[in-house]
Every structure is written in structure tokens, then in C-alpha cells.
Amino acid sequence: MMSYTKRISYLELFEEVAGRNPLKCVFCGREIDLIIFSHLKHGVLFNLFASNNS
């Protein structure tokens, strides 16, 4: 018997674990656009405006 697991996105995982959408404003309820994702120790992990040449 083969078992298949469904791949889920970070957003779906966070909603499952924390019970809320991290990309929804807690004040007005509108969706938030993720532009930059950074970490204090590791620096910038995701930057929407970064060029592919750098």
C-alpha cells in the first residue's frame, strides 16, 4: 500500500499550526503582500525586488 502526502505551502502550514493566516492584517482583515522576508541572524531570505543578476 502506498501512502501519498499532500504538499502544502508555508501559508497553509502556518494556518494549520497557529490557526491564523500570517498574511492577513489583524486590524483590517485585508491580505498583506510579502515583499521582504528577513532573519536577524541569517539576513534577507526573500526579497521580491531583488534582481536575478545579483
PDB file of all heavy atoms in Angstrom, residues 2-34:
ATOM      1  N   MET A   2       0.606   2.142  -0.901  1.00  0.00           N
ATOM      2  CA  MET A   2       1.384   3.371  -0.996  1.00  0.00           C
ATOM      3  C   MET A   2       0.649   4.506  -0.276  1.00  0.00           C
ATOM      4  O   MET A   2      -0.562   4.610  -0.357  1.00  0.00           O
ATOM      5  CB  MET A   2       1.588   3.764  -2.450  1.00  0.00           C
ATOM      6  CG  MET A   2       2.441   2.807  -3.223  1.00  0.00           C
ATOM      7  SD  MET A   2       2.554   3.382  -4.903  1.00  0.00           S
ATOM      8  CE  MET A   2       4.264   3.775  -4.971  1.00  0.00           C
ATOM      9  N   SER A   3       1.415   5.291   0.390  1.00  0.00           N
ATOM     10  CA  SER A   3       0.838   6.430   1.082  1.00  0.00           C
ATOM     11  C   SER A   3       1.308   7.708   0.390  1.00  0.00           C
ATOM     12  O   SER A   3       2.477   7.862   0.090  1.00  0.00           O
ATOM     13  CB  SER A   3       1.276   6.383   2.535  1.00  0.00           C
ATOM     14  OG  SER A   3       1.645   7.612   3.012  1.00  0.00           O
ATOM     15  N   TYR A   4       0.388   8.598   0.132  1.00  0.00           N
ATOM     16  CA  TYR A   4       0.716   9.854  -0.514  1.00  0.00           C
ATOM     17  C   TYR A   4       0.507  10.989   0.469  1.00  0.00           C
ATOM     18  O   TYR A   4      -0.466  11.018   1.200  1.00  0.00           O
ATOM     19  CB  TYR A   4      -0.178  10.086  -1.740  1.00  0.00           C
ATOM     20  CG  TYR A   4       0.072   9.089  -2.837  1.00  0.00           C
ATOM     21  CD1 TYR A   4      -0.728   7.964  -2.967  1.00  0.00           C
ATOM     22  CD2 TYR A   4       1.108   9.270  -3.728  1.00  0.00           C
ATOM     23  CE1 TYR A   4      -0.499   7.043  -3.973  1.00  0.00           C
ATOM     24  CE2 TYR A   4       1.348   8.353  -4.734  1.00  0.00           C
ATOM     25  CZ  TYR A   4       0.540   7.246  -4.859  1.00  0.00           C
ATOM     26  OH  TYR A   4       0.774   6.342  -5.848  1.00  0.00           O
ATOM     27  N   THR A   5       1.439  11.911   0.471  1.00  0.00           N
ATOM     28  CA  THR A   5       1.282  13.087   1.311  1.00  0.00           C
ATOM     29  C   THR A   5       1.070  14.292   0.421  1.00  0.00           C
ATOM     30  O   THR A   5       1.674  14.415  -0.642  1.00  0.00           O
ATOM     31  CB  THR A   5       2.525  13.326   2.194  1.00  0.00           C
ATOM     32  OG1 THR A   5       3.669  13.457   1.358  1.00  0.00           O
ATOM     33  CG2 THR A   5       2.719  12.192   3.177  1.00  0.00           C
ATOM     34  N   LYS A   6       0.206  15.159   0.852  1.00  0.00           N
ATOM     35  CA  LYS A   6      -0.087  16.374   0.109  1.00  0.00           C
ATOM     36  C   LYS A   6       0.950  17.431   0.463  1.00  0.00           C
ATOM     37  O   LYS A   6       1.221  17.673   1.640  1.00  0.00           O
ATOM     38  CB  LYS A   6      -1.482  16.866   0.466  1.00  0.00           C
ATOM     39  CG  LYS A   6      -1.862  18.147  -0.190  1.00  0.00           C
ATOM     40  CD  LYS A   6      -3.208  18.640   0.326  1.00  0.00           C
ATOM     41  CE  LYS A   6      -3.394  20.069  -0.110  1.00  0.00           C
ATOM     42  NZ  LYS A   6      -4.382  20.752   0.673  1.00  0.00           N
ATOM     43  N   ARG A   7       1.553  18.047  -0.545  1.00  0.00           N
ATOM     44  CA  ARG A   7       2.483  19.144  -0.306  1.00  0.00           C
ATOM     45  C   ARG A   7       1.668  20.391  -0.005  1.00  0.00           C
ATOM     46  O   ARG A   7       0.738  20.725  -0.722  1.00  0.00           O
ATOM     47  CB  ARG A   7       3.363  19.370  -1.520  1.00  0.00           C
ATOM     48  CG  ARG A   7       4.315  18.229  -1.770  1.00  0.00           C
ATOM     49  CD  ARG A   7       5.241  18.586  -2.883  1.00  0.00           C
ATOM     50  NE  ARG A   7       6.096  19.684  -2.499  1.00  0.00           N
ATOM     51  CZ  ARG A   7       7.396  19.572  -2.230  1.00  0.00           C
ATOM     52  NH1 ARG A   7       7.980  18.410  -2.359  1.00  0.00           N
ATOM     53  NH2 ARG A   7       8.111  20.614  -1.882  1.00  0.00           N
ATOM     54  N   ILE A   8       2.025  21.059   1.081  1.00  0.00           N
ATOM     55  CA  ILE A   8       1.307  22.275   1.433  1.00  0.00           C
ATOM     56  C   ILE A   8       2.285  23.449   1.450  1.00  0.00           C
ATOM     57  O   ILE A   8       3.484  23.275   1.666  1.00  0.00           O
ATOM     58  CB  ILE A   8       0.565  22.145   2.781  1.00  0.00           C
ATOM     59  CG1 ILE A   8       1.537  21.872   3.918  1.00  0.00           C
ATOM     60  CG2 ILE A   8      -0.504  21.089   2.719  1.00  0.00           C
ATOM     61  CD1 ILE A   8       0.890  21.904   5.289  1.00  0.00           C
ATOM     62  N   SER A   9       1.756  24.623   1.254  1.00  0.00           N
ATOM     63  CA  SER A   9       2.580  25.830   1.247  1.00  0.00           C
ATOM     64  C   SER A   9       2.864  26.265   2.687  1.00  0.00           C
ATOM     65  O   SER A   9       2.259  25.784   3.643  1.00  0.00           O
ATOM     66  CB  SER A   9       1.863  26.945   0.504  1.00  0.00           C
ATOM     67  OG  SER A   9       0.720  27.348   1.221  1.00  0.00           O
ATOM     68  N   TYR A  10       3.784  27.235   2.811  1.00  0.00           N
ATOM     69  CA  TYR A  10       4.103  27.796   4.119  1.00  0.00           C
ATOM     70  C   TYR A  10       2.849  28.395   4.753  1.00  0.00           C
ATOM     71  O   TYR A  10       2.602  28.236   5.942  1.00  0.00           O
ATOM     72  CB  TYR A  10       5.191  28.867   3.987  1.00  0.00           C
ATOM     73  CG  TYR A  10       5.339  29.720   5.208  1.00  0.00           C
ATOM     74  CD1 TYR A  10       6.003  29.235   6.332  1.00  0.00           C
ATOM     75  CD2 TYR A  10       4.792  30.991   5.290  1.00  0.00           C
ATOM     76  CE1 TYR A  10       6.118  29.992   7.478  1.00  0.00           C
ATOM     77  CE2 TYR A  10       4.906  31.759   6.419  1.00  0.00           C
ATOM     78  CZ  TYR A  10       5.572  31.257   7.508  1.00  0.00           C
ATOM     79  OH  TYR A  10       5.676  32.007   8.641  1.00  0.00           O
ATOM     80  N   LEU A  11       2.058  29.073   3.948  1.00  0.00           N
ATOM     81  CA  LEU A  11       0.835  29.702   4.443  1.00  0.00           C
ATOM     82  C   LEU A  11      -0.134  28.673   5.011  1.00  0.00           C
ATOM     83  O   LEU A  11      -0.668  28.840   6.103  1.00  0.00           O
ATOM     84  CB  LEU A  11       0.159  30.488   3.320  1.00  0.00           C
ATOM     85  CG  LEU A  11      -1.149  31.180   3.651  1.00  0.00           C
ATOM     86  CD1 LEU A  11      -0.952  32.223   4.732  1.00  0.00           C
ATOM     87  CD2 LEU A  11      -1.728  31.806   2.409  1.00  0.00           C
ATOM     88  N   GLU A  12      -0.333  27.564   4.287  1.00  0.00           N
ATOM     89  CA  GLU A  12      -1.237  26.510   4.762  1.00  0.00           C
ATOM     90  C   GLU A  12      -0.700  25.856   6.030  1.00  0.00           C
ATOM     91  O   GLU A  12      -1.459  25.561   6.959  1.00  0.00           O
ATOM     92  CB  GLU A  12      -1.429  25.458   3.676  1.00  0.00           C
ATOM     93  CG  GLU A  12      -2.195  25.956   2.480  1.00  0.00           C
ATOM     94  CD  GLU A  12      -2.159  24.987   1.309  1.00  0.00           C
ATOM     95  OE1 GLU A  12      -1.158  24.253   1.158  1.00  0.00           O
ATOM     96  OE2 GLU A  12      -3.138  24.974   0.554  1.00  0.00           O
ATOM     97  N   LEU A  13       0.613  25.644   6.105  1.00  0.00           N
ATOM     98  CA  LEU A  13       1.228  25.057   7.304  1.00  0.00           C
ATOM     99  C   LEU A  13       1.036  25.970   8.506  1.00  0.00           C
ATOM    100  O   LEU A  13       0.640  25.527   9.581  1.00  0.00           O
ATOM    101  CB  LEU A  13       2.713  24.799   7.065  1.00  0.00           C
ATOM    102  CG  LEU A  13       3.505  24.335   8.277  1.00  0.00           C
ATOM    103  CD1 LEU A  13       3.078  22.934   8.699  1.00  0.00           C
ATOM    104  CD2 LEU A  13       4.992  24.369   7.997  1.00  0.00           C
ATOM    105  N   PHE A  14       1.293  27.255   8.321  1.00  0.00           N
ATOM    106  CA  PHE A  14       1.153  28.202   9.422  1.00  0.00           C
ATOM    107  C   PHE A  14      -0.294  28.288   9.891  1.00  0.00           C
ATOM    108  O   PHE A  14      -0.556  28.341  11.093  1.00  0.00           O
ATOM    109  CB  PHE A  14       1.652  29.589   9.005  1.00  0.00           C
ATOM    110  CG  PHE A  14       1.857  30.517  10.156  1.00  0.00           C
ATOM    111  CD1 PHE A  14       3.075  30.579  10.806  1.00  0.00           C
ATOM    112  CD2 PHE A  14       0.828  31.317  10.615  1.00  0.00           C
ATOM    113  CE1 PHE A  14       3.275  31.428  11.877  1.00  0.00           C
ATOM    114  CE2 PHE A  14       1.005  32.170  11.685  1.00  0.00           C
ATOM    115  CZ  PHE A  14       2.232  32.220  12.323  1.00  0.00           C
ATOM    116  N   GLU A  15      -1.231  28.281   8.941  1.00  0.00           N
ATOM    117  CA  GLU A  15      -2.649  28.329   9.320  1.00  0.00           C
ATOM    118  C   GLU A  15      -3.041  27.089  10.117  1.00  0.00           C
ATOM    119  O   GLU A  15      -3.817  27.174  11.065  1.00  0.00           O
ATOM    120  CB  GLU A  15      -3.529  28.444   8.082  1.00  0.00           C
ATOM    121  CG  GLU A  15      -3.593  29.826   7.510  1.00  0.00           C
ATOM    122  CD  GLU A  15      -4.513  29.916   6.306  1.00  0.00           C
ATOM    123  OE1 GLU A  15      -4.611  28.935   5.541  1.00  0.00           O
ATOM    124  OE2 GLU A  15      -5.128  30.968   6.142  1.00  0.00           O
ATOM    125  N   GLU A  16      -2.498  25.937   9.735  1.00  0.00           N
ATOM    126  CA  GLU A  16      -2.800  24.692  10.441  1.00  0.00           C
ATOM    127  C   GLU A  16      -2.235  24.704  11.858  1.00  0.00           C
ATOM    128  O   GLU A  16      -2.898  24.319  12.806  1.00  0.00           O
ATOM    129  CB  GLU A  16      -2.191  23.521   9.660  1.00  0.00           C
ATOM    130  CG  GLU A  16      -3.046  22.290   9.650  1.00  0.00           C
ATOM    131  CD  GLU A  16      -2.462  21.233   8.732  1.00  0.00           C
ATOM    132  OE1 GLU A  16      -2.782  21.245   7.536  1.00  0.00           O
ATOM    133  OE2 GLU A  16      -1.683  20.410   9.241  1.00  0.00           O
ATOM    134  N   VAL A  17      -1.004  25.192  12.005  1.00  0.00           N
ATOM    135  CA  VAL A  17      -0.325  25.169  13.306  1.00  0.00           C
ATOM    136  C   VAL A  17      -0.822  26.295  14.217  1.00  0.00           C
ATOM    137  O   VAL A  17      -1.159  26.064  15.376  1.00  0.00           O
ATOM    138  CB  VAL A  17       1.207  25.272  13.116  1.00  0.00           C
ATOM    139  CG1 VAL A  17       1.906  25.451  14.437  1.00  0.00           C
ATOM    140  CG2 VAL A  17       1.729  24.044  12.391  1.00  0.00           C
ATOM    141  N   ALA A  18      -0.863  27.526  13.697  1.00  0.00           N
ATOM    142  CA  ALA A  18      -1.191  28.685  14.529  1.00  0.00           C
ATOM    143  C   ALA A  18      -2.672  29.036  14.520  1.00  0.00           C
ATOM    144  O   ALA A  18      -3.130  29.786  15.368  1.00  0.00           O
ATOM    145  CB  ALA A  18      -0.381  29.894  14.071  1.00  0.00           C
ATOM    146  N   GLY A  19      -3.394  28.530  13.525  1.00  0.00           N
ATOM    147  CA  GLY A  19      -4.815  28.821  13.457  1.00  0.00           C
ATOM    148  C   GLY A  19      -5.154  30.189  12.907  1.00  0.00           C
ATOM    149  O   GLY A  19      -6.259  30.688  13.089  1.00  0.00           O
ATOM    150  N   ARG A  20      -4.191  30.836  12.238  1.00  0.00           N
ATOM    151  CA  ARG A  20      -4.467  32.125  11.612  1.00  0.00           C
ATOM    152  C   ARG A  20      -3.598  32.295  10.376  1.00  0.00           C
ATOM    153  O   ARG A  20      -2.607  31.613  10.214  1.00  0.00           O
ATOM    154  CB  ARG A  20      -4.244  33.293  12.565  1.00  0.00           C
ATOM    155  CG  ARG A  20      -2.805  33.500  12.959  1.00  0.00           C
ATOM    156  CD  ARG A  20      -2.667  34.737  13.841  1.00  0.00           C
ATOM    157  NE  ARG A  20      -1.273  35.100  14.000  1.00  0.00           N
ATOM    158  CZ  ARG A  20      -0.603  35.901  13.193  1.00  0.00           C
ATOM    159  NH1 ARG A  20      -1.179  36.436  12.153  1.00  0.00           N
ATOM    160  NH2 ARG A  20       0.671  36.173  13.402  1.00  0.00           N
ATOM    161  N   ASN A  21      -4.001  33.211   9.517  1.00  0.00           N
ATOM    162  CA  ASN A  21      -3.281  33.498   8.289  1.00  0.00           C
ATOM    163  C   ASN A  21      -2.243  34.579   8.571  1.00  0.00           C
ATOM    164  O   ASN A  21      -2.613  35.700   8.924  1.00  0.00           O
ATOM    165  CB  ASN A  21      -4.270  33.959   7.222  1.00  0.00           C
ATOM    166  CG  ASN A  21      -3.634  34.230   5.894  1.00  0.00           C
ATOM    167  OD1 ASN A  21      -2.425  34.369   5.781  1.00  0.00           O
ATOM    168  ND2 ASN A  21      -4.454  34.337   4.863  1.00  0.00           N
ATOM    169  N   PRO A  22      -0.935  34.301   8.410  1.00  0.00           N
ATOM    170  CA  PRO A  22       0.077  35.308   8.712  1.00  0.00           C
ATOM    171  C   PRO A  22       0.123  36.442   7.692  1.00  0.00           C
ATOM    172  O   PRO A  22       0.719  37.473   7.950  1.00  0.00           O
ATOM    173  CB  PRO A  22       1.381  34.519   8.685  1.00  0.00           C
ATOM    174  CG  PRO A  22       1.115  33.396   7.749  1.00  0.00           C
ATOM    175  CD  PRO A  22      -0.337  33.047   7.968  1.00  0.00           C
ATOM    176  N   LEU A  23      -0.505  36.252   6.539  1.00  0.00           N
ATOM    177  CA  LEU A  23      -0.508  37.289   5.508  1.00  0.00           C
ATOM    178  C   LEU A  23      -1.841  38.030   5.444  1.00  0.00           C
ATOM    179  O   LEU A  23      -2.237  38.538   4.415  1.00  0.00           O
ATOM    180  CB  LEU A  23      -0.171  36.678   4.143  1.00  0.00           C
ATOM    181  CG  LEU A  23       1.213  36.046   4.046  1.00  0.00           C
ATOM    182  CD1 LEU A  23       1.424  35.437   2.683  1.00  0.00           C
ATOM    183  CD2 LEU A  23       2.297  37.070   4.352  1.00  0.00           C
ATOM    184  N   LYS A  24      -2.537  38.096   6.582  1.00  0.00           N
ATOM    185  CA  LYS A  24      -3.782  38.852   6.673  1.00  0.00           C
ATOM    186  C   LYS A  24      -3.633  39.842   7.819  1.00  0.00           C
ATOM    187  O   LYS A  24      -3.225  39.491   8.918  1.00  0.00           O
ATOM    188  CB  LYS A  24      -4.958  37.917   6.943  1.00  0.00           C
ATOM    189  CG  LYS A  24      -6.302  38.621   6.940  1.00  0.00           C
ATOM    190  CD  LYS A  24      -7.432  37.673   7.204  1.00  0.00           C
ATOM    191  CE  LYS A  24      -7.838  37.064   5.883  1.00  0.00           C
ATOM    192  NZ  LYS A  24      -9.085  36.302   5.995  1.00  0.00           N
ATOM    193  N   CYS A  25      -3.958  41.087   7.550  1.00  0.00           N
ATOM    194  CA  CYS A  25      -3.837  42.147   8.550  1.00  0.00           C
ATOM    195  C   CYS A  25      -4.784  41.859   9.716  1.00  0.00           C
ATOM    196  O   CYS A  25      -5.970  41.606   9.519  1.00  0.00           O
ATOM    197  CB  CYS A  25      -4.160  43.494   7.918  1.00  0.00           C
ATOM    198  SG  CYS A  25      -4.092  44.866   9.089  1.00  0.00           S
ATOM    199  N   VAL A  26      -4.254  41.916  10.933  1.00  0.00           N
ATOM    200  CA  VAL A  26      -5.075  41.646  12.115  1.00  0.00           C
ATOM    201  C   VAL A  26      -6.016  42.804  12.435  1.00  0.00           C
ATOM    202  O   VAL A  26      -6.978  42.635  13.177  1.00  0.00           O
ATOM    203  CB  VAL A  26      -4.211  41.323  13.357  1.00  0.00           C
ATOM    204  CG1 VAL A  26      -3.450  40.030  13.155  1.00  0.00           C
ATOM    205  CG2 VAL A  26      -3.266  42.456  13.688  1.00  0.00           C
ATOM    206  N   PHE A  27      -5.757  43.989  11.879  1.00  0.00           N
ATOM    207  CA  PHE A  27      -6.584  45.158  12.157  1.00  0.00           C
ATOM    208  C   PHE A  27      -7.737  45.303  11.168  1.00  0.00           C
ATOM    209  O   PHE A  27      -8.866  45.516  11.555  1.00  0.00           O
ATOM    210  CB  PHE A  27      -5.731  46.424  12.157  1.00  0.00           C
ATOM    211  CG  PHE A  27      -4.650  46.393  13.203  1.00  0.00           C
ATOM    212  CD1 PHE A  27      -3.329  46.234  12.837  1.00  0.00           C
ATOM    213  CD2 PHE A  27      -4.954  46.475  14.553  1.00  0.00           C
ATOM    214  CE1 PHE A  27      -2.332  46.178  13.796  1.00  0.00           C
ATOM    215  CE2 PHE A  27      -3.967  46.422  15.522  1.00  0.00           C
ATOM    216  CZ  PHE A  27      -2.649  46.270  15.138  1.00  0.00           C
ATOM    217  N   CYS A  28      -7.444  45.190   9.853  1.00  0.00           N
ATOM    218  CA  CYS A  28      -8.494  45.430   8.856  1.00  0.00           C
ATOM    219  C   CYS A  28      -8.932  44.161   8.130  1.00  0.00           C
ATOM    220  O   CYS A  28      -9.950  44.161   7.456  1.00  0.00           O
ATOM    221  CB  CYS A  28      -8.038  46.471   7.839  1.00  0.00           C
ATOM    222  SG  CYS A  28      -6.680  45.927   6.793  1.00  0.00           S
ATOM    223  N   GLY A  29      -8.150  43.070   8.224  1.00  0.00           N
ATOM    224  CA  GLY A  29      -8.525  41.809   7.596  1.00  0.00           C
ATOM    225  C   GLY A  29      -8.134  41.666   6.133  1.00  0.00           C
ATOM    226  O   GLY A  29      -8.415  40.647   5.515  1.00  0.00           O
ATOM    227  N   ARG A  30      -7.469  42.694   5.557  1.00  0.00           N
ATOM    228  CA  ARG A  30      -7.051  42.607   4.163  1.00  0.00           C
ATOM    229  C   ARG A  30      -5.782  41.773   4.018  1.00  0.00           C
ATOM    230  O   ARG A  30      -5.010  41.629   4.966  1.00  0.00           O
ATOM    231  CB  ARG A  30      -6.803  43.997   3.585  1.00  0.00           C
ATOM    232  CG  ARG A  30      -8.086  44.789   3.421  1.00  0.00           C
ATOM    233  CD  ARG A  30      -7.864  46.050   2.666  1.00  0.00           C
ATOM    234  NE  ARG A  30      -6.941  46.926   3.408  1.00  0.00           N
ATOM    235  CZ  ARG A  30      -6.489  48.079   2.948  1.00  0.00           C
ATOM    236  NH1 ARG A  30      -6.864  48.517   1.785  1.00  0.00           N
ATOM    237  NH2 ARG A  30      -5.668  48.807   3.671  1.00  0.00           N
ATOM    238  N   GLU A  31      -5.566  41.224   2.814  1.00  0.00           N
ATOM    239  CA  GLU A  31      -4.367  40.436   2.528  1.00  0.00           C
ATOM    240  C   GLU A  31      -3.137  41.342   2.519  1.00  0.00           C
ATOM    241  O   GLU A  31      -3.202  42.481   2.063  1.00  0.00           O
ATOM    242  CB  GLU A  31      -4.491  39.754   1.167  1.00  0.00           C
ATOM    243  CG  GLU A  31      -5.580  38.699   1.116  1.00  0.00           C
ATOM    244  CD  GLU A  31      -5.070  37.304   1.399  1.00  0.00           C
ATOM    245  OE1 GLU A  31      -3.892  37.032   1.137  1.00  0.00           O
ATOM    246  OE2 GLU A  31      -5.869  36.488   1.872  1.00  0.00           O
ATOM    247  N   ILE A  32      -2.011  40.829   3.002  1.00  0.00           N
ATOM    248  CA  ILE A  32      -0.749  41.558   3.032  1.00  0.00           C
ATOM    249  C   ILE A  32       0.156  40.962   1.954  1.00  0.00           C
ATOM    250  O   ILE A  32       0.247  39.747   1.813  1.00  0.00           O
ATOM    251  CB  ILE A  32      -0.070  41.425   4.412  1.00  0.00           C
ATOM    252  CG1 ILE A  32      -0.944  42.020   5.501  1.00  0.00           C
ATOM    253  CG2 ILE A  32       1.310  42.063   4.399  1.00  0.00           C
ATOM    254  CD1 ILE A  32      -0.436  41.728   6.915  1.00  0.00           C
ATOM    255  N   ASP A  33       0.832  41.830   1.191  1.00  0.00           N
ATOM    256  CA  ASP A  33       1.799  41.367   0.190  1.00  0.00           C
ATOM    257  C   ASP A  33       3.163  41.242   0.837  1.00  0.00           C
ATOM    258  O   ASP A  33       3.651  42.188   1.464  1.00  0.00           O
ATOM    259  CB  ASP A  33       1.882  42.351  -0.975  1.00  0.00           C
ATOM    260  CG  ASP A  33       0.611  42.399  -1.787  1.00  0.00           C
ATOM    261  OD1 ASP A  33      -0.067  41.347  -1.881  1.00  0.00           O
ATOM    262  OD2 ASP A  33       0.297  43.464  -2.327  1.00  0.00           O
ATOM    263  N   LEU A  34       3.788  40.087   0.698  1.00  0.00           N
ATOM    264  CA  LEU A  34       5.115  39.855   1.254  1.00  0.00           C
ATOM    265  C   LEU A  34       6.153  40.386   0.276  1.00  0.00           C
ATOM    266  O   LEU A  34       6.234  39.935  -0.858  1.00  0.00           O
ATOM    267  CB  LEU A  34       5.338  38.362   1.502  1.00  0.00           C
ATOM    268  CG  LEU A  34       6.679  37.975   2.103  1.00  0.00           C
ATOM    269  CD1 LEU A  34       6.824  38.578   3.495  1.00  0.00           C
ATOM    270  CD2 LEU A  34       6.818  36.474   2.176  1.00  0.00           C
TER     271      LEU A  34
END
